[in-house]
Amino acid sequence: MSLEGKTAIVTGASHPRGMGAAVAAKLAGLGATVALVDLESTADELAERAAGIVASGGRAGAVHADATDGDSVQSCVATVVEQLGPPEILVNNAGVGIGSHQLLENSEEIWSQTLAVNLMGVNRFSCAVIPHMQAAGGGVIVNNSSMSGLGAIAGIPPPYTASKHAVIGLTKAIALEFGPDNIRCVAICPGSVRTQLHARVMEMHMDMHGLSYEEAEELEVSFIPLGYSCEPEEVAGVVAFLVGPEGRYLTGVSIPIAGGMAPGL
């Protein structure tokens, strides 16, 4: 499988153990020119991720954008087009998981912040990129939802759960409207992934159940039929399949990447 000649945008790509960084590295390894996108506050880490790809023989650049700001997103995409080429692949990975797991403890501000990034950020980047995909004769958008987008998981903040369900709805709407333009849109729904946020999930288990960190990890894994939490690189492998030629007949679907875990479904 080759992505040679393709330009890809991957948002939320700064953290070294994040899914975004893993996806960017995977796509670059398959020949794509990759724009790693994240907030300006992550400039050093973002530049380091891009430099690592270049040092490995890939093509990559770092571009800053705030997913909650429409002008920032439009400027980001314009920069990518100018410096790296029109994007034919968009991976909407940026997201936040703030708030309390108790519905009544979440303020309107928390709801607004969560939806601004997790839902509207996906919408803003998609709307900015789709015209370029139309001009190129097609493209692929991969939206990072969550297992929380397929069901309700105990301990997960309701604003996060609602936003990730909405991402799946938006994915289906994009797939329906732009399929005739040869633009595919799919959602991935990761479960337990050993990213920088893994420790936060373990702390949630510790608080809810009075467990040690090791016991919390054992509890997490007990929900997974395959018996382990996956690595970001495993998520990246699924994304690479979805954006490549072998995934060309998949659109409007949501792919669980969870080792068989299905809480709340």
Side-chain angles (χ1 to χ4, degrees):
M1 182 173 64
S2 173
L3 298 177
E4 199 71 37
K6 306 287 188 181
T7 296
I9 293 176
V10 181
T11 70
S14 65
H15 198 282
R17 288 305 301 157
M19 285 181 275
V23 168
K26 181 69 174 181
L27 299 187
L30 292 171
T33 300
V34 182
L36 290 81
V37 176
D38 217 320
L39 294 167
E40 190 169 358
S41 60
T42 68
D44 292 342
E45 284 188 323
L46 195 64
E48 187 175 344
R49 300 288 81 70
I53 290 174
V54 173
S56 298
R59 296 182 294 274
V63 186
H64 304 126
D66 181 352
T68 69
D69 184 326
D71 290 340
S72 177
V73 170
Q74 290 289 342
S75 176
C76 167
V77 173
T79 298
V80 172
V81 171
E82 179 182 353
Q83 297 182 359
L84 303 176
E88 295 175 68
I89 298 169
L90 169 64
V91 181
N92 280 309
N93 173 72
V96 295
I98 58 176
S100 169
H101 66 276
Q102 298 290 335
L103 177 66
L104 301 183
E105 294 177 358
N106 289 284
S107 66
E108 287 198 10
E109 181 181 6
I110 288 174
W111 276 95
S112 295
Q113 291 174 347
T114 303
L115 292 171
V117 178
N118 292 0
L119 174 60
M120 292 308 299
V122 171
N123 182 63
R124 291 184 186 98
F125 268 100
S126 298
C127 289
V129 164
I130 283 171
H132 297 287
M133 292 182 172
Q134 289 173 313
V140 188
I141 299 171
V142 177
N143 296 327
N144 194 344
S145 178
S146 167
M147 285 300 289
S148 292
L150 295 173
I153 301 176
I156 301 297
Y160 180 86
T161 299
S163 70
K164 292 303 186 176
H165 274 73
V167 167
I168 290 177
L170 178 58
T171 297
K172 293 177 179 180
I174 292 172
L176 177 64
E177 182 173 352
F178 296 101
D181 294 318
N182 194 33
I183 296 173
R184 297 189 292 111
C185 188
V186 295
I188 57 171
C189 301
S192 180
V193 186
R194 301 185 71 85
T195 67
Q196 73 277 19
L197 297 178
H198 185 74
R200 189 182 302 175
V201 176
M202 293 307 101
E203 291 169 1
M204 176 193 75
H205 288 318
M206 292 165 67
D207 292 340
M208 288 181 64
H209 305 289
L211 303 175
S212 67
Y213 192 90
E214 292 74 17
E215 290 170 333
E217 287 198 312
E218 290 177 4
L219 176 63
E220 179 85 0
V221 170
S222 72
F223 299 134
I224 306 170
L226 288 185
Y228 71 97
S229 298
C230 79
E231 300 295 333
E233 289 75 16
E234 293 175 271
V235 175
V238 176
V239 173
F241 168 79
L242 291 171
V243 303
E246 293 168 333
R248 65 183 179 272
Y249 205 57
L250 292 174
T251 192
V253 296
S254 304
I255 311 294
I257 311 174
M261 180 178 67
L265 301 187

